[in-house]
Amino acid sequence: MRKILFPRAEPHEYVAAWGARLALALFSALSLDQASAVGGWLARRLGPRLGVHKHAARNLARALPDLTPAQQQAVLNGMWDNLGRVMAEYAHLDDLGAEIAARTDRVEVIGTEHVDAILAAGRPTIFFSAHYGNWELLGLVATRYGLPLVQVYRAANNPLTEELLQGLRSAVGGRLVPKGMQAARELIKALKQNESLAMLVDQKLSTGIAVPFFGRDAMTAPAIAELALRAGCLVVPAYVERLNGARFRVTVQAAIRLEDTGERERDVYNAMLRINQTIEGWIRARPDHWFWVHRRWPKD
C-alpha cells in the first residue's frame, strides 16, 4: 500500500484514521479471500451492536414489510457481512484490478455488448449504480474495457480518512470528482470532452427532489437526470453482485432512454423515478446487498 501523507486534523480524527490504517494493514497482510472473510466475520458480530442497526431494521421493515422476522434477520446479517467484506477488500483493490485485467474467474461481467456499443458510438455516457455489493468494482471493470470513468463521490468528513481512501481508490483508475458546487462544472466539461461519468445515486440529498422509492418519497439528487438531459447522453445502469465470498458478478444493463419533452422539471422527475425503480429492483432481488443503515427517507 502506497505511503499516504495526512493533512492537518483534530486529535480524534488522527485516532480514527490511524485505527483505519491499522485495520487496512492487517487486511493487507492477508490474502484477498482471507481478508474478505475476516471482514465479514467481524462486521456480522460488531454491526448488530451499533445504534444504526436498529435504524437499518426499521428501514428494512418499512421497505419490505412482507419479509418474516427470520428473513429480516437474515437480510441484516447479510448486509453486515457484505459491508465488512467491502471494507476489507479496499486493502486489495490492486489485486482485484489485476485479476480483472487478467480476466480470471474472480469477476464475471455480463452485458459487455452494451459497453462495446458505447465504445463504438463514441458518445459520452453516465453510468449509475448504488451502494450495492462491492460498488468499487465498477470503476475497475470500466478501466479494463478502456473506458476510465470520471467518478463522483462524497468526501469523508474526516480529512485523514479521506486521504487514506483516495490512496486506495487510485487503483480503480479514472478520475474522482467530489460532490459540491465545483463538481457540476467539472462534470459538464467532462461530458463535452466526450468522457463518461459514474455516479452512485441511492443516497439522500436534503436539497434534492421527492421521488418515490419503495413506495415512500425519498429526497433524491437530480443531477444525473439534469446532466443527461442537458448533454443528450446515454444513462446506463450497472451493479455488482457478490456471488460467493470475494467473487463477483458485474452486470451492465441496456441504456435508459430519458424522455425530453422540453418540460425540464417533469422530465427530470420522470427520469429519477425510472432510476429509483431500477435500483429498487436490484435491492428487491438481493436485499442483503444494500446499505440499509443510510437515512434514505426524509423522516428517518
Side-chain angles (χ1 to χ4, degrees), residues 28-161:
S28 295
L30 301 173
S31 71
L32 169 57
D33 291 300
Q34 290 170 337
S36 180
V38 171
W41 182 85
L42 288 171
R44 289 196 307 274
R45 279 149 183 80
L46 297 177
R49 300 175 183 271
L50 302 178
V52 292
H53 182 80
K54 292 182 179 179
H55 178 76
R58 285 195 299 271
N59 274 345
L60 178 61
R62 290 171 181 171
L64 298 174
D66 293 335
L67 295 181
T68 67
Q71 289 172 327
Q72 291 178 1
Q73 188 60 51
V75 169
L76 293 172
N77 287 342
M79 177 199 72
W80 285 117
D81 179 76
N82 181 65
L83 289 177
R85 287 176 179 275
V86 169
M87 294 302 103
E89 287 157 4
Y90 268 104
H92 291 276
L93 286 179
D94 281 325
D95 298 327
L96 282 165
E99 293 213 37
I100 290 171
R103 299 177 183 264
T104 69
D105 62 358
R106 172 79 65 182
V107 180
E108 175 188 357
V109 183
I110 294 177
T112 55
E113 67 274 15
H114 302 307
V115 179
D116 292 338
I118 291 166
L119 291 169
R123 292 179 59 186
T125 302
I126 304 178
F127 293 86
F128 75 86
S129 193
H131 293 85
Y132 184 91
N134 189 335
W135 53 91
E136 294 289 356
L137 267 66
L138 292 171
L140 290 167
V141 170
T143 298
R144 185 190 88 178
Y145 279 90
L147 195 66
L149 301 173
V150 179
Q151 300 187 63
V152 184
Y153 76 102
R154 182 186 180 279
N157 294 329
N158 184 337
L160 306 180
T161 304

Side-chain angles (χ1 to χ4, degrees), residues 42 52 64 80 85 112 118 125 129 158 176 187 191-192 201 204 210 228-229 236 238-239 274 289-290 298:
L42 288 171
V52 292
L64 298 174
W80 285 117
R85 287 176 179 275
T112 55
I118 291 166
T125 302
S129 193
N158 184 337
L176 294 171
L187 297 179
L191 290 173
K192 287 181 178 178
V201 295
K204 174 183 171 184
L229 289 167
V236 177
Y239 62 97
R274 290 192 65 188
H289 273 36
W290 194 55

